């Protein structure tokens, strides 16, 4: 039930004592997964997720080009492939902090122009492909939320964690008292004469 958390220390300090840089690990006893997050950021992200709809996705800039693959002469003549670009700055305006920070790790992120670029060419109509791009962005935002924001801890788990902490405290105090009694008996103070 221990969760390990890595702490990075100053490289010069570590190398002074251990010879080469490394990560030192410390154990945290019985800590909830979401304890490391800011409560306000979690509440903001959960409110956003509860009210998020596909229609909330900003329009973006859409360009069209000729599609490849099956479709007969239609793909050779018409520009039905839709390429939609959303600037990370513009897209970030309506997103909570925890989702905003993860936008640049999306598989659709384009570093050259700091944007999210999605393309669709599966349909014969450009409007359908544009709608498909918006659907893909909404799915990506939901995926980022699911990956980055932990679910709310249930009351059963909170109670279990509190019970574990309480039993650990009782065990620790009991072992301290036992150790103290052992030391007192060695000194001869624990016996009445």
């Amino acid at each position: 039930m221990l969760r390990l958390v890595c702490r990075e220390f100053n490289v010069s300090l570590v190398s002074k004592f251990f010879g080469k840089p490394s990560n030192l690990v410390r154990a945290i006893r019985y800590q909830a997964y979401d304890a490391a997050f800011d409560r306000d950021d979690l509440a903001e992200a959960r409110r956003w997720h509860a009210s998020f709809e596909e229609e909330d996705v900003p329009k973006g800039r859409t360009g069209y080009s000729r599609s490849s693959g099956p479709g007969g002469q239609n793909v050779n003549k018409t520009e039905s492939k839709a390429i939609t670009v959303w600037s990370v700055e513009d897209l970030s305006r309506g997103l909570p902090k925890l989702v905003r920070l993860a936008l640049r790790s999306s598989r659709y992120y384009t570093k050259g122009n700091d944007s999210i670029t999605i393309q669709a060419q599966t349909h014969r109509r450009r409007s359908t492909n544009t709608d498909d791009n918006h659907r893909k962005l909404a799915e990506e935002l939901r995926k980022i939320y699911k990956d980055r924001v932990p679910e709310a801890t249930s009351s059963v788990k909170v109670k279990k964690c509190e019970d574990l902490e309480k039993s650990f405290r009782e065990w620790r105090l009991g072992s301290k008292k036992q150790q103290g009694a052992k030391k007192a008996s060695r000194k001869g103070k624990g016996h009445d004469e």
Side-chain angles (χ1 to χ4, degrees), residues 26-39:
R26 110 181 137 91
I28 297 177
R29 193 177 299 277
Y30 310 122
Q31 185 179 39
Y33 173 69
D34 62 356
F37 292 93
D38 182 36
R39 295 281 171 218

Side-chain angles (χ1 to χ4, degrees), residues 113-169:
N113 57 359
D114 193 36
S115 64
I116 302 291
T117 306
I118 300 176
Q119 58 185 345
Q121 61 182 1
T122 55
H123 304 286
R124 291 173 60 98
R125 301 188 66 204
R126 62 168 52 181
S127 61
T128 311
N129 284 331
T130 303
D131 293 342
D132 197 28
N133 285 345
H134 284 83
R135 184 188 53 75
K136 285 179 184 178
L137 179 63
E139 285 177 6
E140 184 68 10
L141 292 175
R142 285 187 188 104
K143 179 183 173 295
I144 289 172
Y145 171 84
K146 185 179 176 196
D147 292 346
R148 299 295 175 128
V149 180
E151 294 180 16
T153 306
S154 69
S155 59
V156 174
K157 286 187 179 182
V158 169
K159 174 107 174 76
K160 183 178 179 180
C161 187
E162 289 170 353
D163 291 345
L164 284 171
E165 287 176 357
K166 183 179 175 184
S167 65
F168 174 73
R169 259 186 264 114

Side-chain angles (χ1 to χ4, degrees), residues 61-69 73-84 117-127 129-130 133:
R61 293 185 324 269
T62 303
Y64 302 97
S65 64
R66 289 191 181 154
S67 180
S68 63
Q73 281 189 336
N74 185 58
V75 295
N76 296 333
K77 292 180 180 179
T78 61
E79 294 184 344
S80 60
K81 176 181 178 180
I83 303 168
T84 309
T117 306
I118 300 176
Q119 58 185 345
Q121 61 182 1
T122 55
H123 304 286
R124 291 173 60 98
R125 301 188 66 204
R126 62 168 52 181
S127 61
N129 284 331
T130 303
N133 285 345

